[in-house]
Protein backbone atom coordinates (compact mmCIF):
# COMPACT_ATOMS: atom_id res chain seq x y z
CA UNK A 1 0.00 0.00 0.00
CA UNK A 2 1.32 3.44 -0.85
CA UNK A 3 1.74 6.09 1.74
CA UNK A 4 -0.87 8.41 0.24
CA UNK A 5 -3.36 5.58 0.19
CA UNK A 6 -2.62 4.99 3.86
CA UNK A 7 -3.16 8.66 4.58
CA UNK A 8 -6.50 8.63 2.81
CA UNK A 9 -7.61 5.65 4.80
CA UNK A 10 -6.50 7.16 8.11
CA UNK A 11 -9.24 7.59 10.68
CA UNK A 12 -10.49 11.15 10.96
CA UNK A 13 -10.03 10.92 14.69
CA UNK A 14 -7.87 8.00 15.79
CA UNK A 15 -8.36 6.60 19.29
CA UNK A 16 -5.83 7.74 21.87
CA UNK A 17 -4.20 4.30 21.98
CA UNK A 18 -3.54 4.53 18.23
CA UNK A 19 -2.64 8.20 18.01
CA UNK A 20 -0.09 7.85 20.81
CA UNK A 21 0.90 4.21 20.26
CA UNK A 22 4.60 5.11 20.12
CA UNK A 23 4.50 6.93 23.45
CA UNK A 24 2.60 4.09 25.10
CA UNK A 25 5.06 1.53 23.77
CA UNK A 26 8.06 3.57 24.93
CA UNK A 27 6.53 3.97 28.37
CA UNK A 28 5.78 0.25 28.65
CA UNK A 29 9.38 -0.52 27.82
CA UNK A 30 10.89 2.00 30.24
CA UNK A 31 8.43 1.15 33.00
CA UNK A 32 9.91 -1.13 35.66
CA UNK A 33 7.47 -0.35 38.44
CA UNK A 34 4.83 -2.83 39.58
CA UNK A 35 1.64 -2.90 37.50
CA UNK A 36 -1.77 -3.69 38.98
CA UNK A 37 -3.41 -6.81 37.52
CA UNK A 38 -4.01 -6.45 33.76
CA UNK A 39 -2.72 -2.89 33.63
CA UNK A 40 -0.57 -2.15 30.60
CA UNK A 41 1.50 0.33 32.63
CA UNK A 42 2.28 1.11 36.23
CA UNK A 43 0.32 3.96 37.86
CA UNK A 44 3.47 6.07 37.62
CA UNK A 45 3.76 5.50 33.87
CA UNK A 46 0.06 6.20 33.36
CA UNK A 47 0.46 9.54 35.14
CA UNK A 48 3.55 10.30 33.06
CA UNK A 49 1.59 9.51 29.89
CA UNK A 50 -1.07 12.04 30.90
CA UNK A 51 1.19 14.76 32.27
CA UNK A 52 4.14 14.36 29.92
CA UNK A 53 7.81 13.91 30.66
CA UNK A 54 11.05 12.58 29.27
CA UNK A 55 12.13 8.95 29.46
CA UNK A 56 15.70 7.90 30.27
CA UNK A 57 16.44 7.14 26.59
CA UNK A 58 15.42 10.66 25.62
CA UNK A 59 11.94 9.83 24.31
CA UNK A 60 9.61 12.75 24.97
CA UNK A 61 6.10 12.06 26.26
CA UNK A 62 3.80 14.93 25.31
CA UNK A 63 1.49 16.27 28.01
CA UNK A 64 -2.12 15.35 27.35
CA UNK A 65 -3.52 17.10 30.39
CA UNK A 66 -2.26 20.50 31.47
CA UNK A 67 -3.17 21.20 35.06
CA UNK A 68 -2.43 20.21 38.64
CA UNK A 69 -0.35 17.03 38.78
CA UNK A 70 -2.19 15.90 41.92
CA UNK A 71 -5.49 15.64 40.04
CA UNK A 72 -4.09 13.04 37.69
CA UNK A 73 -2.30 11.20 40.50
CA UNK A 74 -5.56 10.91 42.45
CA UNK A 75 -7.44 9.80 39.32
CA UNK A 76 -4.88 7.12 38.46
CA UNK A 77 -4.58 5.75 41.95
CA UNK A 78 -8.35 5.60 42.26
CA UNK A 79 -8.43 3.31 39.24
CA UNK A 80 -6.06 0.97 41.04
CA UNK A 81 -8.54 0.62 43.93
CA UNK A 82 -12.00 -0.93 43.98
CA UNK A 83 -13.68 2.44 43.70
CA UNK A 84 -14.69 3.86 40.35
CA UNK A 85 -13.64 7.29 39.12
CA UNK A 86 -16.02 10.19 38.48
CA UNK A 87 -14.61 13.15 36.58
CA UNK A 88 -16.70 16.20 37.29
CA UNK A 89 -16.44 19.72 35.88
CA UNK A 90 -17.96 22.41 33.70
CA UNK A 91 -18.07 21.69 29.96
CA UNK A 92 -14.75 21.83 28.16
CA UNK A 93 -12.50 20.99 31.10
CA UNK A 94 -11.15 17.85 29.40
CA UNK A 95 -13.25 15.27 31.26
CA UNK A 96 -13.85 13.19 28.15
CA UNK A 97 -10.28 13.73 26.99
CA UNK A 98 -8.76 12.61 30.30
CA UNK A 99 -11.12 9.62 30.51
CA UNK A 100 -10.11 8.45 27.04
CA UNK A 101 -6.39 8.79 27.74
CA UNK A 102 -6.66 7.06 31.11
CA UNK A 103 -8.45 4.09 29.55
CA UNK A 104 -5.90 3.97 26.73
CA UNK A 105 -2.95 3.99 29.12
CA UNK A 106 -4.39 1.60 31.70
CA UNK A 107 -6.09 -0.95 29.44
CA UNK A 108 -4.75 -0.16 25.98
CA UNK A 109 -8.33 0.32 24.81
CA UNK A 110 -10.47 3.42 25.19
CA UNK A 111 -13.42 2.14 23.17
CA UNK A 112 -15.46 0.33 25.85
CA UNK A 113 -17.74 3.33 26.01
CA UNK A 114 -21.36 4.03 26.90
CA UNK A 115 -22.57 7.47 25.85
CA UNK A 116 -25.07 8.69 28.42
CA UNK A 117 -28.21 10.45 27.21
CA UNK A 118 -31.77 10.84 28.43
CA UNK A 119 -32.55 7.82 26.23
CA UNK A 120 -29.85 5.49 27.54
CA UNK A 121 -31.54 2.20 28.46
CA UNK A 122 -30.49 -0.50 30.89
CA UNK A 123 -29.39 -2.72 28.01
CA UNK A 124 -26.69 -0.22 27.12
CA UNK A 125 -25.13 -0.76 30.53
CA UNK A 126 -25.96 -4.45 31.08
CA UNK A 127 -26.61 -6.53 27.95
CA UNK A 128 -29.09 -6.91 25.13
CA UNK A 129 -30.25 -9.78 22.95
CA UNK A 130 -29.79 -10.75 19.36
CA UNK A 131 -33.51 -11.23 18.68
CA UNK A 132 -33.14 -13.57 15.72
CA UNK A 133 -31.09 -15.96 17.84
CA UNK A 134 -33.23 -15.42 20.89
CA UNK A 135 -36.37 -16.43 18.97
CA UNK A 136 -34.69 -19.34 17.23
CA UNK A 137 -32.93 -20.88 20.23
CA UNK A 138 -34.24 -19.20 23.33
CA UNK A 139 -32.01 -17.37 25.76
CA UNK A 140 -28.42 -18.52 25.55
CA UNK A 141 -24.97 -17.06 25.89
CA UNK A 142 -24.76 -16.98 22.10
CA UNK A 143 -27.88 -14.83 21.84
CA UNK A 144 -26.64 -12.37 24.44
CA UNK A 145 -25.15 -9.09 23.27
CA UNK A 146 -22.79 -7.81 25.96
CA UNK A 147 -22.58 -4.09 26.71
CA UNK A 148 -19.19 -2.38 26.81
CA UNK A 149 -19.40 -2.49 30.60
CA UNK A 150 -20.01 -6.24 30.58
CA UNK A 151 -17.06 -6.77 28.27
CA UNK A 152 -14.83 -4.66 30.48
CA UNK A 153 -15.90 -6.76 33.49
CA UNK A 154 -15.18 -10.10 31.90
CA UNK A 155 -11.89 -8.97 30.34
CA UNK A 156 -10.57 -6.93 33.27
CA UNK A 157 -10.56 -3.65 31.36
CA UNK A 158 -11.51 -0.02 31.89
CA UNK A 159 -15.10 0.87 30.96
CA UNK A 160 -16.18 4.45 30.30
CA UNK A 161 -19.56 6.09 30.86
CA UNK A 162 -19.92 9.56 29.38
CA UNK A 163 -22.34 12.12 30.83
CA UNK A 164 -23.52 9.88 33.64
CA UNK A 165 -26.00 12.42 35.04
CA UNK A 166 -27.91 12.63 31.77
CA UNK A 167 -28.91 9.00 32.20
CA UNK A 168 -32.28 8.49 33.92
CA UNK A 169 -31.83 7.72 37.62
CA UNK A 170 -33.25 4.18 37.53
CA UNK A 171 -30.92 3.25 34.69
CA UNK A 172 -27.95 4.79 36.51
CA UNK A 173 -28.73 2.54 39.44
CA UNK A 174 -27.90 -0.48 37.29
CA UNK A 175 -24.32 0.47 38.05
CA UNK A 176 -24.71 0.02 41.80
CA UNK A 177 -24.54 -3.79 41.73
CA UNK A 178 -21.80 -3.69 39.14
CA UNK A 179 -19.65 -1.32 41.19
CA UNK A 180 -20.35 -2.67 44.66
CA UNK A 181 -20.75 -6.43 44.08
CA UNK A 182 -18.56 -6.44 40.94
CA UNK A 183 -21.02 -8.75 39.32
CA UNK A 184 -23.68 -8.53 36.63
CA UNK A 185 -26.50 -11.02 37.08
CA UNK A 186 -28.15 -12.52 33.98
CA UNK A 187 -31.44 -13.79 35.42
CA UNK A 188 -32.63 -15.13 32.04
CA UNK A 189 -29.78 -17.63 32.08
CA UNK A 190 -29.47 -18.09 35.82
CA UNK A 191 -25.90 -16.93 35.48
CA UNK A 192 -23.76 -13.97 36.28
CA UNK A 193 -20.70 -12.27 34.89
CA UNK A 194 -18.16 -11.60 37.59
CA UNK A 195 -15.71 -8.79 37.08
CA UNK A 196 -12.15 -10.02 36.90
CA UNK A 197 -9.25 -8.07 38.33
CA UNK A 198 -8.33 -5.06 36.27
CA UNK A 199 -11.93 -3.99 35.76
CA UNK A 200 -12.83 -0.45 36.70
CA UNK A 201 -15.01 2.33 35.40
CA UNK A 202 -14.51 6.00 34.58
CA UNK A 203 -17.60 8.19 34.41
CA UNK A 204 -17.80 11.83 33.41
CA UNK A 205 -20.48 14.29 34.45
CA UNK A 206 -21.15 17.91 33.79
CA UNK A 207 -21.30 20.30 36.72
CA UNK A 208 -23.96 22.34 35.01
CA UNK A 209 -26.24 19.35 34.62
CA UNK A 210 -26.58 19.15 38.37
CA UNK A 211 -30.22 18.61 39.13
CA UNK A 212 -30.99 17.07 35.75
CA UNK A 213 -30.61 13.56 37.07
CA UNK A 214 -28.64 13.84 40.23
CA UNK A 215 -26.52 10.89 41.18
CA UNK A 216 -28.18 8.88 43.91
CA UNK A 217 -26.14 8.90 47.10
CA UNK A 218 -25.88 5.10 46.88
CA UNK A 219 -24.18 5.41 43.51
CA UNK A 220 -22.07 8.41 44.43
CA UNK A 221 -20.50 6.44 47.25
CA UNK A 222 -19.14 3.95 44.71
CA UNK A 223 -17.18 6.72 43.02
CA UNK A 224 -14.19 8.76 43.97
CA UNK A 225 -14.95 12.20 42.53
CA UNK A 226 -12.22 14.27 40.92
CA UNK A 227 -13.13 17.80 39.86
CA UNK A 228 -11.36 19.12 36.76
CA UNK A 229 -10.90 22.90 37.04
CA UNK A 230 -10.69 25.50 34.31
CA UNK A 231 -7.07 26.41 33.50
CA UNK A 232 -5.67 28.55 36.26
CA UNK A 233 -3.63 30.99 34.21
CA UNK A 234 -3.99 32.50 30.76
CA UNK A 235 -0.58 31.12 29.83
CA UNK A 236 -1.66 27.56 30.67
CA UNK A 237 -4.81 28.01 28.63
CA UNK A 238 -2.87 29.40 25.65
CA UNK A 239 -0.58 26.39 25.83
CA UNK A 240 -3.52 23.97 25.84
CA UNK A 241 -5.18 25.69 22.90
CA UNK A 242 -1.98 25.98 20.86
CA UNK A 243 -1.03 22.36 21.41
CA UNK A 244 -4.45 20.98 20.59
CA UNK A 245 -4.92 23.25 17.58
CA UNK A 246 -1.56 22.08 16.28
CA UNK A 247 -2.65 18.44 16.55
CA UNK A 248 -6.05 19.06 15.01
CA UNK A 249 -4.50 21.16 12.24
CA UNK A 250 -2.14 18.33 11.34
CA UNK A 251 -4.93 15.78 11.16
CA UNK A 252 -6.95 18.14 8.93
CA UNK A 253 -3.87 18.82 6.76
CA UNK A 254 -3.87 22.48 7.66
CA UNK A 255 -0.46 24.12 7.32
CA UNK A 256 1.16 25.04 10.65
CA UNK A 257 0.67 28.68 11.61
CA UNK A 258 3.51 29.58 13.95
CA UNK A 259 2.64 33.28 13.93
CA UNK A 260 -0.81 32.39 15.21
CA UNK A 261 0.20 32.45 18.86
CA UNK A 262 -0.67 36.14 19.30
CA UNK A 263 -4.13 35.53 17.93
CA UNK A 264 -4.59 32.52 20.20
CA UNK A 265 -3.57 34.69 23.13
CA UNK A 266 -6.24 37.21 22.22
CA UNK A 267 -8.97 34.60 21.89
CA UNK A 268 -8.03 33.16 25.27
CA UNK A 269 -7.91 36.64 26.85
CA UNK A 270 -11.37 37.52 25.55
CA UNK A 271 -12.81 34.21 26.75
CA UNK A 272 -11.23 34.44 30.18
CA UNK A 273 -12.24 38.04 30.76
CA UNK A 274 -15.85 37.42 29.79
CA UNK A 275 -15.98 34.16 31.74
CA UNK A 276 -14.55 35.73 34.90
CA UNK A 277 -16.49 38.97 34.57
CA UNK A 278 -13.47 41.21 34.99
CA UNK A 279 -10.62 42.43 32.78
CA UNK A 280 -7.14 40.95 33.07
CA UNK A 281 -5.83 43.96 34.95
CA UNK A 282 -8.71 43.66 37.42
CA UNK A 283 -9.85 47.23 36.72
CA UNK A 284 -13.08 46.83 34.78
CA UNK A 285 -16.04 44.72 35.83
CA UNK A 286 -17.78 42.92 32.96
CA UNK A 287 -21.02 41.04 32.52
CA UNK A 288 -20.64 37.37 31.62
CA UNK A 289 -22.50 36.01 28.61
CA UNK A 290 -24.62 32.85 28.85
CA UNK A 291 -22.24 30.52 26.97
CA UNK A 292 -19.52 28.52 28.73
CA UNK A 293 -16.58 30.04 26.81
CA UNK A 294 -14.47 27.04 27.75
CA UNK A 295 -11.03 26.06 26.57
CA UNK A 296 -12.70 23.59 24.24
CA UNK A 297 -14.59 26.42 22.56
CA UNK A 298 -11.42 28.48 22.23
CA UNK A 299 -9.87 25.47 20.49
CA UNK A 300 -12.67 25.27 17.95
CA UNK A 301 -12.65 29.04 17.32
CA UNK A 302 -8.93 28.95 16.56
CA UNK A 303 -9.18 25.79 14.44
CA UNK A 304 -11.97 27.38 12.42
CA UNK A 305 -9.87 30.51 12.02
CA UNK A 306 -6.89 28.48 10.83
CA UNK A 307 -9.01 26.82 8.16
CA UNK A 308 -10.17 30.23 6.96
CA UNK A 309 -6.61 31.55 6.89
CA UNK A 310 -5.34 28.45 5.06
CA UNK A 311 -8.04 28.24 2.41
CA UNK A 312 -9.05 31.85 1.87
CA UNK A 313 -6.20 33.91 3.29
CA UNK A 314 -2.43 33.82 3.12
CA UNK A 315 -2.09 31.12 5.75
CA UNK A 316 -1.36 33.53 8.58
CA UNK A 317 -3.95 33.54 11.33
CA UNK A 318 -5.36 37.06 11.73
CA UNK A 319 -8.02 38.82 13.76
CA UNK A 320 -10.46 38.65 10.86
CA UNK A 321 -10.19 34.84 10.83
CA UNK A 322 -11.24 34.39 14.44
CA UNK A 323 -13.70 37.26 14.83
CA UNK A 324 -16.75 35.42 13.49
CA UNK A 325 -15.98 32.36 15.59
CA UNK A 326 -15.64 34.45 18.74
CA UNK A 327 -18.92 36.18 18.06
CA UNK A 328 -20.62 32.82 17.59
CA UNK A 329 -19.23 31.48 20.86
CA UNK A 330 -20.02 34.58 22.89
CA UNK A 331 -23.44 35.47 21.54
CA UNK A 332 -25.58 32.44 22.32
CA UNK A 333 -28.64 34.36 23.38
CA UNK A 334 -29.16 36.99 20.66
CA UNK A 335 -30.81 39.49 23.00
CA UNK A 336 -28.79 39.62 26.22
CA UNK A 337 -25.43 38.34 24.98
CA UNK A 338 -25.37 40.78 22.08
CA UNK A 339 -25.56 43.70 24.51
CA UNK A 340 -22.83 42.26 26.72
CA UNK A 341 -20.58 41.74 23.70
CA UNK A 342 -21.10 45.28 22.38
CA UNK A 343 -20.27 46.74 25.77
CA UNK A 344 -17.12 44.67 26.00
CA UNK A 345 -16.11 45.64 22.48
CA UNK A 346 -16.51 49.37 23.09
CA UNK A 347 -15.29 49.57 26.68
CA UNK A 348 -12.38 47.12 26.59
CA UNK A 349 -11.31 45.98 23.12
CA UNK A 350 -11.44 49.41 21.55
CA UNK A 351 -9.23 51.00 24.19
CA UNK A 352 -6.60 48.30 24.32
CA UNK A 353 -3.13 48.93 22.86
CA UNK A 354 -2.38 46.87 19.80
CA UNK A 355 -5.93 45.58 19.47
CA UNK A 356 -7.13 47.99 16.72
CA UNK A 357 -7.19 45.28 14.03
CA UNK A 358 -9.10 42.99 16.34
CA UNK A 359 -11.61 45.72 17.20
CA UNK A 360 -12.19 46.44 13.53
CA UNK A 361 -12.60 42.77 12.64
CA UNK A 362 -15.11 42.26 15.45
CA UNK A 363 -17.06 45.37 14.45
CA UNK A 364 -17.28 44.08 10.92
CA UNK A 365 -18.80 40.71 11.85
CA UNK A 366 -21.08 42.25 14.49
CA UNK A 367 -22.55 44.75 12.08
N1 LIG B 1 -6.51 21.23 31.16
C1 LIG B 1 -6.49 20.76 29.90
N2 LIG B 1 -5.42 20.09 29.43
C2 LIG B 1 -5.40 19.61 28.17
N3 LIG B 1 -6.40 19.76 27.28
C3 LIG B 1 -7.49 20.41 27.67
C4 LIG B 1 -7.59 20.96 28.99
N4 LIG B 1 -8.79 21.57 29.10
C5 LIG B 1 -9.40 21.42 27.90
N5 LIG B 1 -8.64 20.72 27.05
C6 LIG B 1 -8.98 20.39 25.67
O1 LIG B 1 -10.34 20.70 25.50
C7 LIG B 1 -10.94 19.77 24.61
C8 LIG B 1 -12.35 19.42 25.07
O2 LIG B 1 -12.33 18.67 26.19
P1 LIG B 1 -13.48 17.60 26.53
O3 LIG B 1 -12.78 16.46 27.13
O4 LIG B 1 -14.36 17.34 25.38
O5 LIG B 1 -14.30 18.42 27.61
P2 LIG B 1 -15.47 17.93 28.55
O6 LIG B 1 -15.68 16.47 28.34
O7 LIG B 1 -14.98 18.28 29.92
O8 LIG B 1 -16.64 18.77 28.17
C9 LIG B 1 -10.02 18.60 24.48
O9 LIG B 1 -9.62 18.55 23.14
C10 LIG B 1 -8.83 18.93 25.35
O10 LIG B 1 -7.67 18.74 24.61
MG1 LIG C 1 -17.33 15.47 27.61
Amino acid sequence: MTESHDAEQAALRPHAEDAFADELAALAEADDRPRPARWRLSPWAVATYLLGGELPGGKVITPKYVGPRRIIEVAVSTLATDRALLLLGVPGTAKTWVSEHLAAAVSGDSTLLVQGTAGTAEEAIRYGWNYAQLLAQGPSRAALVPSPVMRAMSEGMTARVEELTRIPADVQDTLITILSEKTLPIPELGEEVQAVRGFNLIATANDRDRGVNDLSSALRRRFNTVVLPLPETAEAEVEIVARRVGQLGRSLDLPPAPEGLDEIRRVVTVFRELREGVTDDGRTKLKSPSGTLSTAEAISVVTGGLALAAHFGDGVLRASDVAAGILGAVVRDPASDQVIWQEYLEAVVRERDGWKDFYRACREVSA
Side-chain angles (χ1 to χ4, degrees):
M1 233 183 270
T2 65
E3 223 171 75
S4 70
H5 186 79
D6 270 353
E8 271 169 32
Q9 296 297 314
L12 185 53
R13 190 194 173 290
H15 299 303
E17 57 273 28
D18 299 324
F20 296 95
D22 60 322
E23 292 189 9
L24 290 168
L27 274 164
E29 198 176 303
D31 186 14
D32 52 12
R33 308 194 183 205
R35 303 177 191 186
R38 286 196 180 71
W39 280 38
R40 296 290 188 92
L41 300 171
S42 69
W44 169 83
V46 173
T48 306
Y49 171 74
L50 269 117
L51 294 161
E54 197 179 323
L55 298 181
K59 170 83 181 165
V60 172
I61 306 298
T62 56
K64 318 297 175 299
Y65 180 72
V66 179
R69 172 166 213 99
R70 200 65 190 162
I71 285 182
I72 296 298
E73 289 172 351
V74 172
V76 174
S77 46
T78 298
L79 289 176
T81 68
D82 64 347
R83 285 178 88 199
L85 173 64
L86 175 62
L87 299 173
L88 197 65
V90 297
T93 43
K95 300 179 296 296
T96 302
W97 177 251
V98 167
S99 154
E100 176 183 357
H101 284 286
L102 283 173
V106 169
S107 298
D109 186 348
S110 63
T111 64
L112 295 173
L113 170 69
V114 176
Q115 180 65 52
T117 68
T120 302
E122 250 185 57
E123 292 82 70
I125 295 176
R126 304 175 69 209
Y127 51 85
W129 297 100
N130 173 332
Y131 284 102
Q133 289 221 22
L134 185 66
L135 289 178
Q137 298 158 13
S140 69
R141 266 300 172 109
L144 185 136
V145 181
S147 73
V149 176
M150 186 186 238
R151 280 187 43 210
M153 292 174 75
S154 58
E155 290 164 28
M157 309 264 282
T158 307
R160 298 171 53 206
V161 177
E162 280 288 311
E163 306 289 4
L164 178 61
T165 45
R166 295 203 183 150
I167 300 177
D170 54 323
V171 179
Q172 279 181 29
D173 283 348
T174 312
L175 285 172
I176 294 179
T177 325
I178 295 176
L179 295 181
S180 58
E181 315 294 325
K182 314 288 183 205
T183 181
L184 181 47
I186 313 173
E188 294 91 337
L189 302 180
E191 288 178 22
E192 63 173 355
V193 168
Q194 272 193 299
V196 302
R197 294 180 64 192
F199 166 71
N200 210 334
L201 186 137
I202 308 172
T204 67
N206 189 332
D207 247 352
R208 300 243 168 128
D209 285 350
R210 209 176 290 161
V212 177
N213 288 302
D214 239 342
L215 281 190
S216 68
S217 54
L219 187 53
R220 188 175 270 269
R221 253 185 292 121
R222 305 313 193 271
F223 283 103
N224 194 18
T225 303
V226 170
V227 177
L228 298 187
L230 285 160
E232 197 168 335
T233 64
E235 273 321 296
E237 194 160 358
V238 169
E239 186 197 329
I240 295 167
V241 174
R243 186 183 295 282
R244 191 69 191 120
V245 164
Q247 285 169 354
L248 286 170
R250 274 193 296 285
S251 73
L252 298 173
D253 286 335
L254 293 176
E259 307 89 338
L261 210 57
D262 289 340
E263 222 50 68
I264 294 180
R265 200 163 281 130
R266 281 205 284 213
V267 173
V268 166
T269 304
V270 170
F271 275 33
R272 288 180 75 86
E273 290 186 330
L274 286 172
R275 202 159 72 200
E276 283 159 21
V278 58
T279 51
D280 247 359
D281 55 13
R283 293 235 192 96
T284 314
K285 280 234 158 52
L286 304 164
K287 290 189 200 110
S288 289
S290 55
T292 344
L293 299 181
S294 67
T295 316
E297 279 162 294
I299 291 170
S300 61
V301 167
V302 174
T303 311
L306 269 184
L308 271 177
H311 298 306
F312 300 105
D314 57 4
V316 178
L317 186 65
R318 293 184 209 285
S320 53
D321 299 315
V322 291
I326 290 187
L327 184 75
V330 173
V331 181
R332 285 286 148 83
D333 176 337
S336 58
D337 292 342
Q338 183 69 38
V339 176
I340 293 173
W341 175 240
Q342 288 300 338
E343 274 180 25
Y344 178 71
L345 214 53
E346 297 304 326
V348 179
V349 176
R350 184 182 183 161
E351 305 302 327
R352 196 165 268 167
D353 276 349
W355 280 43
K356 285 276 166 296
D357 57 330
F358 187 71
Y359 174 71
R360 246 179 277 121
C362 290
R363 281 287 302 258
E364 253 163 57
V365 291
S366 305

